[in-house]
């Protein structure tokens, strides 16, 4: 059984601790770290896409996440990374997820703009991830069955956010880009295709107002008081290509190296700044972008243990108070109360959204 040991002195602190111990009878739920890794580097020749090192990227991410305590990792590479199997993996993850879990979705490969499917995009195009078998050029008979659209991914991420709740977290890492012009062959770039549209003359200069990548606005516009914060980091600027380097994506290499430096106090902003700096070091032309709850600590809730309650706290009154540890205790207390009230405070939107 693990315990949190707090070192403190003073009568007031002692009374606070005793009050918390007496009033707390809820165990902090153990969290699981789950991830889905999707990489499409080798496409069928008839799709016309350039090969990338996305398959190698998945291997790098597997190792990085293993070192960070991710025990439940599902990887889909190349011919396994179809839209059907990717959706199935998201559904399986949703069913497994529990309150307080950490969930990470990672994609490596090409991205592509496609004509807006449901009139929700001011720029007239949806962002999409190019899964195995997706063609590069418009075909009247093709119905985007191998492109994963922004709203499709966003819906699944919102389902998972609701499932893991406010004590969980969701992270989205995308090593892909969405360009407006075709990239030269052999340029080691990703996102090298024009937008997929019947009338290519409709493609015009788009002013970037809010888009940074694949994640649809839905995940931020929906109510979020009782479910997980989400952080989205994408490999580069919208409408610009990103690159491979030394048999991996520049962004994936940067993420892997940044993961090595994460500590208990690392915020998502710290993590992003580290990723961006490493990207610039490898290729000055690539600048990652982010959106989300960047002040949160990376994987901050995962340190909780199911046997850790306030009745396990050991108090040593002979040494000085460690302020960080006291803050940790208050944070756990606050999260316990959130867990108790979560069901009672569900909104009508949550009760009706994505019923099982």
């Amino acid at each position: 059984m693990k315990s949190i040991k707090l070192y403190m002195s003073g009568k007031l602190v002692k009374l606070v601790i005793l009050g918390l111990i007496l009033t707390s009878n809820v165990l902090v739920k153990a969290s699981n770290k789950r991830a889905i890794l999707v990489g499409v580097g080798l496409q069928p020749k008839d799709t016309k896409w350039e090969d990338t090192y996305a398959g190698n990227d998945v291997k790098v991410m597997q190792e990085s996440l293993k070192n960070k305590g991710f025990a439940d990792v599902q990887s889909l590479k190349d011919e396994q990374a179809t839209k059907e199997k990717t959706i199935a993996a998201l559904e399986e993850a949703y069913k497994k997820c529990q309150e307080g879990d950490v969930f990470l979705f990672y994609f490596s490969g090409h991205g592509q703009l496609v004509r807006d499917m449901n009139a929700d995009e001011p720029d007239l195009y949806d962002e999409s991830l190019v899964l195995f078998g997706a063609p590069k050029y418009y075909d009247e008979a093709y119905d985007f069955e191998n492109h994963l659209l922004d709203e499709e991914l966003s819906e699944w991420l919102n389902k998972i956010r609701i499932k893991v709740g406010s004590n969980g977290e969701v992270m989205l890492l995308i090593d892909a880009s969405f360009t407006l012009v075709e990239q030269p062959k052999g340029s080691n770039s990703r996102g090298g295709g024009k937008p997929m549209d019947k009338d290519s003359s409709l493609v015009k200069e788009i002013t970037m107002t809010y888009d940074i990548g694949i994640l649809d606005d839905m995940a931020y516009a929906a109510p979020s008081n009782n479910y997980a914060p989400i952080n989205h980091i994408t490999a580069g600027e919208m409408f610009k290509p990103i690159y491979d380097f030394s048999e991996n994506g520049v962004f994936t290499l940067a993420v892997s190296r940044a993961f090595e430096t994460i500590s208990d106090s690392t915020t998502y902003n710290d993590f992003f700044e580290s990723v961006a700096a490493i990207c610039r070091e490898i290729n000055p032309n690539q600048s990652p972008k982010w959106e989300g709850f960047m002040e949160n600590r990376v994987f901050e809730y995962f340190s909780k243990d199911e046997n850790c309650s306030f009745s396990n706290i050991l108090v040593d009154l002979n040494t000085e108070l460690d302020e960080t540890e006291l803050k940790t205790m208050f944070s756990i207390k606050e999260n316990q109360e959130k867990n108790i009230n979560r069901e009672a405070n569900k909104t009508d939107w949550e009760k009706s959204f994505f019923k099982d």
Side-chain angles (χ1 to χ4, degrees), residues 216-252:
D216 192 75
D217 275 357
M218 176 182 177
Y220 296 99
S224 58
N225 290 336
N226 296 315
Y227 58 90
I230 184 169
N231 287 285
H232 170 207
I233 305 178
T234 194
E237 298 175 81
M238 280 293 289
F239 317 132
K240 293 184 179 181
I242 59 169
Y243 301 95
D244 285 337
F245 174 80
S246 187
E247 299 189 354
N248 282 104
V250 169
F251 176 72
T252 297

Side-chain angles (χ1 to χ4, degrees), residues 28-31 100-102 165-169 228-229 296-305 331 335 338:
V28 179
K29 188 176 181 64
S31 298
D101 282 358
V102 172
S166 58
N167 288 335
E169 56 186 287
N296 290 2
R297 294 192 301 274
V298 180
F299 309 147
E300 65 178 316
Y301 296 115
F302 186 68
S303 60
K304 300 172 187 175
D305 184 273
S331 176
N335 288 321
K338 286 182 180 179

